[in-house]
Amino acid sequence: MNTASKKDIRSLSLSELKESFAGMGEKPFRGQQVYEWIWKKSARSFSEMSNLSKELREKLELNYTINAVSVDEKQISSDGTIKNSLKLFDGPIVEGVLIPTEKRITACVSSQVGCSLSCRFCATGKLDLARNLNADEIYDEVVIIKNQAEQYYQRPLTNIVFMGMGEPLLNYRNVLGAIAKITGEDGLNMASDRITVSTAGIAKMIKKLGDDEVKFNLALSLHAANDEKRSKIMPINESNTLDVLGEALAYYYSKTKNQVTFEYIVFKDFNDTLKDADELLAFSKYVPSKVNLIEYNSIDGGEFQNTSGNKLYRFQRYLEDNGLTATLRRSRGKDIDAACGQLANKRHKEAVMGE
């Protein structure tokens, strides 16, 4: 039986695994053992499953596959950031980043191969969308970066942000499926409040997050609190206007009571005036929130520039003086194109798409 005809064992639920084992003439508890191997111990092959008989492992090898993600290329920044080019089982490449700081070690993971939203300031937005990542592939990204944190820094992974390639809420089922395995007691058992999902603003899916009463954090990539300006840099705003997003966020908060984070890249001569700050303050009234002010990181062929230090400081102080918590997020990994908005920069489209 060739690999293409084998079933991905990680696509099975625990009950399906037990049924499958019963169908093979095995005791159902063997299904439980395999489930623990793949989700709790992060096994990448059946040969690692040492408490199973050799005969059973061979039977699994014959009928199933583990579509493990592998590191294709790794770059280490002068500031310690590690950017991984990660190869999926069928060939495409996505990127995942380990970001170490004094207080935390964060995994920045991708949810799609490419992206369909075409944000003008983002390198990934210049790529076409090839496909969604499966839940097990997202889980593998986290495990790879978790292992690097322990190998390179002798520290555990503390945070996960879905801020890599792709729009997480357009891969809703797989993103939530991966988070369930990352946070579950039968998985990596990480705390939900250490996970942040960032969206460019898909209103109906933000409401669905509320209906599902998710426990993780939500961040909105805002970057302008003015419809005309936001639509210029983020085409998604044309169908998900600020009013529509504000209502969706209010609904989300009513269901989850989770504070929302607004991400705001401060561009030179575009969204860096006190008038822009006033518009941001007005939008923040929709929901209990805070804002992360982000340095702009240039991309090949990019048309934007980072604002000046003085303007950025004045912008931040104005927000804080008017009651909105505003944190300046310094970029890391710029020298290896691992900073915010740079993933897939200086990479040929063919390589990213696995063509």
Side-chain angles (χ1 to χ4, degrees):
M1 185 179 291
N2 61 40
T3 304
S5 61
K6 294 181 184 180
K7 188 167 184 65
D8 176 8
I9 199 164
R10 293 192 295 184
S11 69
L12 300 178
S13 67
L14 177 56
S15 61
E16 288 171 333
L17 256 182
K18 288 180 175 179
E19 285 176 19
S20 174
F21 272 72
M24 289 191 292
E26 298 286 343
K27 291 183 170 61
F29 81 89
R30 293 295 184 195
Q32 176 77 49
Q33 288 179 312
V34 171
Y35 195 81
E36 288 181 3
W37 272 109
I38 57 181
W39 297 119
K40 205 164 192 172
K41 301 176 184 177
S42 309
R44 299 174 59 82
S45 68
F46 297 114
S47 61
E48 296 173 45
M49 301 179 183
S50 53
N51 59 350
L52 304 182
S53 68
K54 183 181 178 186
E55 181 186 6
L56 178 53
R57 280 179 276 164
E58 288 174 349
K59 197 182 290 186
L60 289 172
E61 193 73 52
L62 191 64
N63 292 285
Y64 294 102
T65 185
I66 297 174
N67 292 327
V69 174
S70 59
V71 178
D72 186 64
E73 184 183 350
K74 178 173 60 187
Q75 294 172 274
I76 303 178
S77 167
S78 58
D79 64 23
T81 299
I82 302 175
K83 182 173 80 167
N84 298 283
S85 294
L86 302 170
K87 190 170 187 177
L88 308 183
F89 77 96
D90 55 345
I93 299 287
V94 295
E95 294 181 340
V97 183
L98 181 154
I99 307 165
T101 62
E102 189 177 326
K103 294 183 178 179
R104 63 181 65 180
I105 291 195
T106 301
C108 176
V109 299
S110 296
S111 56
Q112 296 180 308
V113 182
C115 187
S116 62
L117 298 188
S118 304
C119 297
R120 283 171 58 187
F121 51 84
C122 178
T124 309
K126 295 181 181 298
L127 306 171
D128 293 329
L129 175 65
R131 72 167 176 85
N132 288 330
L133 268 70
N134 298 324
D136 55 288
E137 293 172 323
I138 297 169
Y139 168 92
D140 275 356
E141 286 187 86
V142 172
V143 170
I144 287 168
I145 297 171
K146 170 180 173 288
N147 291 342
Q148 288 178 342
E150 294 163 2
Q151 176 188 351
Y152 286 89
Y153 296 101
Q154 295 76 52
R155 291 162 58 192
L157 189 65
T158 61
N159 295 78
I160 301 167
V161 294
F162 283 76
M163 297 182 184
M165 298 168 66
E167 165 54 57
L169 297 192
L170 293 180
N171 187 15
Y172 192 93
R173 182 175 60 85
N174 287 321
V175 166
L176 265 65
I179 290 173
K181 293 297 186 289
I182 292 163
T183 59
E185 289 184 7
D186 57 355
L188 300 182
N189 203 25
M190 290 190 67
S192 296
D193 63 2
R194 295 288 188 168
I195 298 174
T196 299
V197 172
S198 174
T199 178
I202 316 295
K204 67 177 182 179
M205 303 313 291
I206 292 172
K207 288 183 175 180
K208 183 162 174 52
L209 289 174
D211 288 334
D212 289 338
E213 297 183 358
V214 298
K215 304 298 183 188
F216 52 79
N217 301 303
L218 178 65
L220 174 68
S221 291
L222 187 62
H223 312 311
N226 168 304
D227 275 316
E228 184 181 354
K229 285 188 178 183
R230 193 167 190 266
S231 293
K232 279 183 181 177
I233 58 173
M234 302 179 73
I236 187 65
N237 192 71
E238 293 171 12
S239 55
N240 291 261
T241 63
L242 291 170
D243 282 346
V244 170
L245 283 177
E247 290 168 10
L249 291 170
Y251 180 84
Y252 163 84
Y253 180 78
S254 73
K255 295 286 190 176
T256 66
K257 296 298 183 279
N258 289 343
Q259 182 187 53
V260 174
T261 299
F262 297 129
E263 296 164 328
Y264 193 100
I265 299 174
V266 191
F267 298 110
K268 180 181 179 182
D269 299 332
F270 180 76
N271 64 350
D272 58 355
T273 68
L274 295 188
K275 182 176 185 297
D276 293 303
D278 271 327
E279 290 170 344
L280 176 52
L281 285 166
F283 186 76
S284 73
K285 304 301 183 196
Y286 272 108
V287 63
S289 56
K290 60 182 179 179
V291 62
N292 285 338
L293 300 176
I294 303 169
E295 291 181 302
Y296 177 61
N297 304 296
S298 62
I299 61 174
D300 290 348
E303 58 194 289
F304 300 102
Q305 291 179 294
N306 196 21
T307 192
S308 69
N310 286 341
K311 271 194 163 183
L312 182 58
Y313 177 72
R314 186 175 66 156
F315 195 96
Q316 179 185 22
R317 281 296 304 270
Y318 188 83
L319 295 176
E320 293 194 324
D321 288 347
N322 285 278
L324 181 60
T325 299
T327 303
L328 177 59
R329 295 294 187 199
R330 296 291 182 189
S331 295
R332 298 177 65 84
K334 285 185 182 182
D335 56 325
I336 55 170
D337 294 315
C340 180
Q342 290 185 315
L343 295 192
N345 196 22
K346 296 181 182 174
R347 171 181 291 278
H348 292 298
K349 176 179 172 181
E350 290 79 10
V352 176
M353 297 307 176
E355 293 172 1

